[in-house]
Amino acid sequence: VGGGSGTGLVGSPGAGETGAMRRGLVLIVCAQAMWGLSPAFWRLGSEVPALDMLGHRAFWTFVTVFVIHVVRRSLRAVRTAAREPRTLLLEAMAGVLIGSNWLVWVWAVTNDRVVEGSLGYFITPLVSVVLGVVVVGERLRRAQWAAVALGAASVTWLTVDMGRLPWVSLFLAATFGVYGLIKKKVDRPPIDMLAIELTVMLPVTLGYLAYRTSSGHDVLFSGTLIEVMVLLASGVFTAAPLLFFAGGVRRAPLSVVGVLQYLSPSINFLLGVVAFGEPFGSGRLVGFALVWTGLAVFTADGIQSVRPPRRR
């Protein structure tokens, strides 16, 4: 498997490249697992308005990342990166994308639309693959195309089964797919870039939270103990998978990242159906089976491709 530089996916990588790719895959899997389980976390604050949750999530994530930079003594690197116009522009765009993605996802989770949200993250890998082929110039092997085709069939089936335009799904897929592409384009440490994204959000975040506090509606002062704990923990819960994802996407081709993103929506889907009792019929079962079949095909091909050649 080659890198994402447009040289394609054909040929055997060197030991260093293979090691970096494997580390990237581990980071991406960790991020996907945390995102997959996230509905259980956010539903603990289901009575908190989505905008309030977004405001506190952005603020406490900023605090978490700031503390990390203070401990690492790396704030100067963030300031240096922010002085580069291209980097600042891309990270400003990334901040807007991830902030809007958070808002719609939390709204979906707290309004019993986890299954529809999971469909959005089933679509996201297809967006990533298209971006990888069209923008980055990556190429896919036959098995990878087969996996993508199964994923496309799954998304199509699930969309028809819902019987309406899944706007939540489409919005989540578009915002996160482009976010992933931006992370691929910025050659800076992930934690530095996350700090810039959160700083872009900070003025609006502080203004909104100040307004809510002055009007006596800030959940941090009026919510239950569990709601307050969710708000305070939201920073760590948000920062960790974002850093895992950003670190992984820089080491692995977007085509690989794309199909691995089936993991989190699969977990979301199971939570929505089994834990939260959202509608689940034979139609959705077929779509779910198609996704996992595609993931199995891709995983088998990926394991085979990263094995070092045998010595003769």
Side-chain angles (χ1 to χ4, degrees):
V1 181
S5 61
T7 57
L9 300 177
V10 180
S12 299
E17 185 181 353
T18 300
M21 184 181 302
R22 285 174 175 167
R23 287 192 295 273
L25 295 178
V26 169
L27 289 172
I28 292 168
V29 169
C30 289
Q32 295 301 313
M34 291 190 70
W35 280 323
L37 296 171
S38 68
F41 177 81
W42 298 117
R43 280 177 73 95
L44 293 173
S46 60
E47 298 301 318
V48 179
L51 277 175
D52 287 20
M53 183 68 78
L54 174 63
H56 279 281
R57 184 180 185 182
F59 176 74
W60 292 111
T61 304
F62 173 85
V63 172
T64 301
V65 173
F66 180 81
V67 170
I68 292 173
H69 278 293
V70 169
V71 173
R72 296 176 70 243
R73 300 181 179 179
S74 53
L75 286 173
R76 180 176 296 180
V78 176
R79 290 194 294 267
T80 300
R83 293 191 185 103
E84 299 174 0
R86 176 179 178 274
T87 298
L88 184 59
L89 176 61
L90 288 174
E91 288 306 312
M93 294 170 56
V96 172
L97 287 168
I98 200 63
S100 58
N101 182 279
W102 289 350
L103 176 63
V104 172
W105 175 238
V106 170
W107 181 89
V109 168
T110 56
N111 284 272
D112 299 320
R113 296 175 80 165
V114 173
V115 172
E116 185 174 344
S118 72
L119 177 58
Y121 292 115
F122 283 133
I123 300 172
T124 301
L126 304 180
V127 175
S128 296
V129 167
V130 170
L131 291 172
V133 172
V134 175
V135 180
V136 182
E138 296 179 353
R139 295 197 300 271
L140 305 179
R141 293 184 293 272
R142 290 183 180 178
Q144 292 172 315
W145 278 119
V148 170
L150 286 165
S154 170
V155 169
T156 302
W157 183 281
L158 291 171
T159 301
V160 172
D161 184 68
M162 291 176 65
R164 57 182 173 81
L165 180 67
W167 70 267
V168 170
S169 308
L170 297 174
F171 187 87
L172 292 175
T175 52
F176 202 72
V178 179
Y179 177 79
L181 177 63
I182 290 175
K183 305 309 292 185
K184 190 78 171 180
K185 291 291 186 180
V186 179
D187 188 20
R188 288 281 184 172
I191 194 169
D192 294 359
M193 298 302 94
L194 181 55
I196 297 176
E197 293 166 22
L198 294 165
T199 302
V200 169
M201 298 183 207
L202 192 60
V204 176
T205 298
L206 292 177
Y208 178 76
L209 293 179
Y211 164 73
R212 293 292 284 173
T213 301
S214 65
S215 61
H217 295 102
D218 190 273
V219 182
L220 198 62
F221 300 101
S222 61
T224 65
L225 177 60
I226 292 179
E227 290 170 346
V228 171
M229 292 177 63
V230 168
L231 295 179
L232 295 176
S234 63
V236 173
F237 192 84
T238 298
L242 276 174
L243 292 174
F244 291 154
F245 177 78
V249 78
R250 295 173 65 231
R251 293 174 171 87
L254 280 178
S255 52
V256 177
V257 175
V259 182
L260 279 181
Q261 287 180 60
Y262 285 128
L263 289 173
S264 63
S266 296
I267 300 172
N268 294 159
F269 189 83
L270 284 173
L271 282 177
V273 172
V274 177
F276 307 144
E278 295 187 14
F280 179 68
S282 58
R284 292 186 177 181
L285 177 61
V286 171
F288 193 72
L290 285 170
V291 167
W292 279 101
T293 302
L295 180 60
V297 170
F298 181 83
T299 301
D301 177 75
I303 292 173
Q304 181 65 33
S305 68
V306 300
R307 285 178 178 172
R310 294 181 179 178
R311 294 182 180 179
R312 296 182 177 181

